[in-house]
Each structure stands twice: as structure tokens, then as C-alpha cells.
């Protein structure tokens, strides 16, 4: 089941041919998964050592609370996802699988799994505690400053966010992991402005694409963030993640704007098919906009890979060059359909 995370079309993707699929595949069967998780050294936490504090938010399968874990090295602030009691087996498996995937990464820009509670019910997933969602941060920033935002001041922070996420994604890419739901809503920030990629859960909730439509309704597919070949042909690769990363860049530099805010999914798809790009956000440099446009190349293999992106973002002077009047690059690309 999880092989879907590792693109099987290796020949088509240079990056992937070098990528190593490092992680073990979480089983579909919850009983096997429990055994796997204990064999694979995911830390099992005794629930008595966790004290649950206030509610942080409610997800689909459970509540996320602030918690304090009495770890062997002292008290740690953590986020504790407590699984709903009436959760069905499939969702329970999906959640544990998500934890199992998360537990296999160790990178400053990927949310860290602390441990799991699987020996007692309710099962819990314990991760490092984050401050807020990037999306929320951007929207608040926009609201606070209205039209008065000082881009000269904020741009270096935006560049830092862009680079951190790219760096986390490069780590995933090098391990052949396709996230499939890269968007500002799935990036969490610490109070020190460190960005971490979270929510590896979306792909997990898919059994097959057709189930997905049936279960969730098409509005749940992140169409506005998804590459044309993913939307049209269900082809998810590292390069479709790169496309979504471009959408995330757009969200960052437009200070929390949703891509295509006035379009519904259907007309977004039509625009995509015609090769129409989003216009440059007003606070964004030419180099950043060029990067965005490159990530939206209709041919997946023409998009830069995450390594290139990290490199490009590491030249701050160029990236932050005071904005000039940028022409909208919309419509300059051939239709996605024609390129397949
Ligand atoms: P969803 O099911 O919508 O993906 P989650 O269950 O992952 O949401 O999370 C629910 C809420 O808890 C979200 O608002 C999210 O911002 C918050 N949250 C999730 N993980 C953490 C964390 N590690 N630290 C702080 N808040 C978190």
C-alpha cells in the first residue's frame, strides 16, 4: 500500500532514480502494524507519563492536545493526538501508518514524532509541540497589516520559510517520499520561526483514487495545489510535489492568499489545462516568481527538483531583489494536455 509513496516510475524521474526508499512499509493490517511498530523501534510511551493539557485543535480522527511528557530526561512539551474512541479500523490504521512514516524521518524541517501509545486505548500519537500553522500566521499577518505590509522587512522571513520547507522536502525527495499535500495549511511553525512539514496523512486516507472521490467528495482533493498530471492522470511523483511547492511559494509571497481564490476546482482545472499561471504576488521578487513559474512547468521532468530549489533559494540577494513590475507569465506555456 505504501509503495505509492515511492514513485514506481523511476525511469521518468532523474531524482528518483537516485532516491533511496529508506523506509519500511507500514502494514495495512492493524495487528501486524502494532508488531511492526514495536519491532521498528518506534518509541512506545506509557500513557501514565503523559499529562494532557489544553485542546489545540480537532482533526478528522481525533483531538490534538498540548501535553507534557515525563520523559527520561525531564518534562517535555508535546502535541498529543488522541484517537477518537469510535474510530473505524481503517482510519486507525491510517493514523498509525502516518505515525510510522513520520517516525522514520529525522530532519529539522519535518515534524518530529516523539512516540506512540499503542498498548492502551485510546491510542495516541505524540509529536513535538508546534506554535501555529503557517497558513494561520500568514493570514494574521495580512489582517494585521492590511495593505500596509512592509515587504522589505518581511521578505527575508518569507525567504527563510521558503527555504526551510524546500530543505525538508529535499530530505523527503532523497528518500523517495512523495508527500502529496504540500500546502501552507500543512506547514507548522515553532515560536522561533522554524518550519516543519506535517500532515503526512492525506495520502494515507486514500485507498484508491475512486474511493477517495466517493468518500471525501472532490472538493477534498487539493486541486488548487496539485500538478496537472496528478489531477488528470493521477500521476503523483516527486515533481508533482514540486508543483505543489510552487503553490506554497505563492501562498507565502501573497501573504496567505489561496491560489485561484475566485475559481472553483473545475475552472482551476480548465486554467491548468490551458497552461495559465497564477499572477506574480505583489511583494515578490522576479527571481521568486521565476522559481514559481518553473515549478509549474507543464512537463513534470522540466520542473526543477528540490535540490535545485534549495540552491536557488540560497542566493538571498538575488531572491530578494526589490520588486520590479513583473509581467504576468500566464499563458506563455503550452497546454498541459498536449504535453501529457
Ligand atoms: P487534520 O486532521 O485536519 O489534518 P490534525 O489532526 O493533524 O488535523 O490537527 C488538528 C489541529 O491540531 C490542527 O489545527 C493543527 O494545527 C493542530 N496541530 C496538529 N499537530 C500539532 C503540533 N504538533 N503542534 C501544535 N499543533 C498541532
Amino acid at each position: 500500500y505504501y509503495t505509492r509513496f515511492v514513485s514506481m516510475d523511476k525511469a521518468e524521474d532523474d531524482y528518483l532514480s537516485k532516491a533511496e526508499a529508506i523506509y519500511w512499509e507500514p502494514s495495512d493490517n492493524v495487528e501486524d502494524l502494532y508488531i511492526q511498530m514495536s519491532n521498528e523501534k518506534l518509541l512506545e510511551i506509557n500513557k501514565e507519563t503523559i499529562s494532557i493539557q489544553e485542546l489545540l485543535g480537532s482533526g478528522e480522527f481525533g483531538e490534538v492536545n498540548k501535553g507534557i511528557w515525563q520523559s527520561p530526561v525531564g518534562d517535555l512539551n508535546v502535541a498529543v493526538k488522541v484517537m477518537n474512541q469510535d474510530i473505524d479500523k481503517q482510519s486507525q490504521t491510517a493514523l498509525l501508518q502516518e505515525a510510522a512514516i513520520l517516525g522514520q524521518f529525522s530532519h529539522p524541517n519535518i515534524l518530529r514524532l516523539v512516540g506512540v501509545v499503542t498498548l492502551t486505548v485510546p491510542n495516541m500519537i505524540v509529536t513535538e509541540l508546534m506554535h501555529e500553522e503557517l497558513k494561520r500566521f500568514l493570514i494574521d499577518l495580512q489582517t494585521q497589516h492590511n495593505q500596509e505590509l512592509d515587504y522589505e522587512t518581511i521578505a527575508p522571513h518569507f525567504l527563510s520559510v521558503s527555504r526551510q520547507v524546500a530543505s525538508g522536502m529535499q530530505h523527503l525527495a532523497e528518500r523517495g517520499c512523495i508527500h502529496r499535500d504540500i500546502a501552507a495549511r500543512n506547514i507548522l511553525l515553532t515560536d522561533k520561526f522554524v518550519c516543519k512539514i506535517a500532515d503526512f496523512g492525506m495520502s494515507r486516507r486514500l485507498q484508491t483514487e475512486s474511493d477517495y472521490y466517493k468518500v471525501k467528495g472532490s472538493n477534498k482533493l487539493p486541486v488548487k495545489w496539485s500538478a496537472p498530471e496528478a489531477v488528470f492522470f493521477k500521476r503523483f511523483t516527486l515533481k508533482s510535489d514540486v508543483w505543489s511547492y510552487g503553490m506554497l511559494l505563492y501562498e507565502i509571497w501573497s501573504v496567505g492568499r489561496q491560489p485561484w481564490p475566485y475559481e472553483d476546482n473545475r475552472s482551476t482545472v480548465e486554467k491548468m489545462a490551458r497552461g495559465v499561471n497564477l499572477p506574480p504576488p505583489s511583494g515578490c521578487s522576479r527571481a521568486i516568481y521565476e522559481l514559481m513559474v518553473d515549478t509549474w512547468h507543464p512537463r513534470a521532468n522540466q520542473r526543477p527538483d528540490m535540490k535545485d530549489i534549495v540552491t536557488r533559494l540560497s542566493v538571498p540577494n538575488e531572491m530578494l531583489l526589490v520588486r520590479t513590475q513583473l509581467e504576468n507569465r500566464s499563458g506563455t506555456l503550452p497546454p498541459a494536455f498536449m504535453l501529457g
Side-chain angles (χ1 to χ4, degrees):
Y1 172 72
Y2 269 86
T3 49
R4 72 173 62 207
F5 269 92
V6 184
S7 166
M8 280 173 269
D9 201 352
K10 292 195 181 231
E12 279 223 36
D13 195 315
D14 292 351
Y15 210 124
L16 199 59
S17 64
K18 284 177 258 151
E20 244 180 293
I22 51 128
Y23 46 79
W24 47 273
E25 275 183 41
S27 167
D28 265 348
N29 175 298
V30 74
E31 310 304 335
D32 293 344
L33 185 55
Y34 280 139
I35 297 168
Q36 248 184 341
M37 288 173 94
S38 65
N39 288 346
E40 296 287 345
K41 301 200 277 285
L42 283 198
L43 180 67
E44 175 71 29
I45 294 180
N46 177 348
K47 81 156 192 256
E48 304 301 332
T49 61
I50 301 174
S51 71
I52 302 279
Q53 319 267 300
E54 75 260 23
L55 181 71
L56 293 171
S58 291
E60 227 185 311
F61 304 126
E63 288 180 344
V64 179
N65 299 280
K66 186 178 174 229
I68 296 174
W69 174 44
Q70 294 156 19
S71 84
V73 293
D75 286 0
L76 282 183
N77 287 325
V78 288
V80 186
K81 187 181 271 193
V82 183
M83 265 187 222
N84 287 338
Q85 296 283 26
D86 55 358
I87 194 170
D88 60 64
K89 249 204 160 91
Q90 192 181 328
S91 313
Q92 183 192 13
T93 313
L95 266 185
L96 292 171
Q97 285 174 321
E98 181 180 357
I101 292 282
L102 211 52
Q104 297 178 59
F105 294 111
S106 173
H107 187 274
N109 303 116
I110 298 173
L111 184 70
R112 196 171 295 273
L113 181 80
V114 173
V116 288
V117 176
T118 61
L119 298 179
T120 50
V121 282
N123 286 174
M124 299 179 195
I125 291 163
V126 183
T127 60
E128 63 183 318
L129 181 67
M130 300 297 288
H131 183 60
E132 66 179 332
E133 286 173 10
L134 174 60
K135 175 84 182 177
R136 180 81 280 162
F137 167 82
L138 292 169
I139 289 174
D140 289 349
L141 192 67
Q142 181 71 273
T143 325
Q144 281 157 21
H145 293 84
N146 209 354
Q147 299 303 316
E148 309 286 289
L149 208 67
D150 172 12
Y151 287 105
E152 307 278 332
T153 314
I154 200 73
H157 296 287
F158 284 175
L159 184 61
S160 159
V161 170
S162 310
R163 227 192 119 201
Q164 290 184 58
V165 177
S167 167
M169 285 181 69
Q170 185 190 349
H171 189 80
L172 296 179
E174 282 167 357
R175 281 149 187 81
C177 175
I178 302 163
H179 185 283
R180 303 225 261 172
D181 199 9
I182 292 294
R185 62 181 173 274
N186 289 331
I187 307 298
L188 298 175
L189 295 174
T190 68
D191 53 0
K192 303 214 165 52
F193 223 65
V194 179
C195 301
K196 314 228 178 194
I197 303 168
D199 213 332
F200 288 66
M202 140 122 195
S203 348
R204 193 155 299 79
R205 290 174 209 152
L206 305 178
Q207 288 300 326
T208 65
E209 299 301 333
S210 52
D211 273 359
Y212 183 74
Y213 278 102
K214 261 188 276 163
V215 177
K216 309 275 181 181
S218 55
N219 62 337
K220 284 284 182 101
L221 183 80
V223 167
K224 294 183 172 186
W225 283 262
S226 300
E229 73 278 6
V231 173
F232 297 128
F233 311 115
K234 308 288 175 237
R235 247 183 75 78
F236 292 88
T237 63
L238 295 174
K239 292 297 179 73
S240 56
D241 269 3
V242 168
W243 175 291
S244 309
Y245 176 77
M247 287 296 165
L248 169 68
L249 281 181
Y250 179 82
E251 290 183 275
I252 295 169
W253 293 87
S254 64
V255 202
R257 235 176 126 86
Q258 216 204 343
W260 305 116
Y262 306 114
E263 314 292 335
D264 59 14
N265 282 347
R266 173 193 284 268
S267 57
T268 300
V269 167
E270 280 164 10
K271 280 193 171 354
M272 251 184 211
R274 283 188 285 124
V276 179
N277 281 329
L278 284 162
S282 48
C284 141
S285 67
R286 175 175 297 272
I288 292 282
Y289 187 56
E290 276 171 5
L291 178 55
M292 277 180 219
V293 171
D294 288 350
T295 67
W296 301 326
H297 199 289
R299 261 191 221 276
N301 62 10
Q302 297 294 306
R303 293 172 206 150
D305 60 29
M306 291 317 302
K307 190 159 173 259
D308 301 333
I309 293 175
V310 172
T311 309
R312 282 168 71 171
L313 290 172
S314 305
V315 192
N317 286 346
E318 192 186 320
M319 283 293 158
L320 294 176
L321 223 65
V322 186
R323 63 205 147 114
T324 43
Q325 274 304 73
L326 298 179
E327 73 278 19
N328 187 340
R329 296 265 297 271
S330 286
T332 56
L333 297 169
F337 268 142
M338 293 178 65
L339 294 167

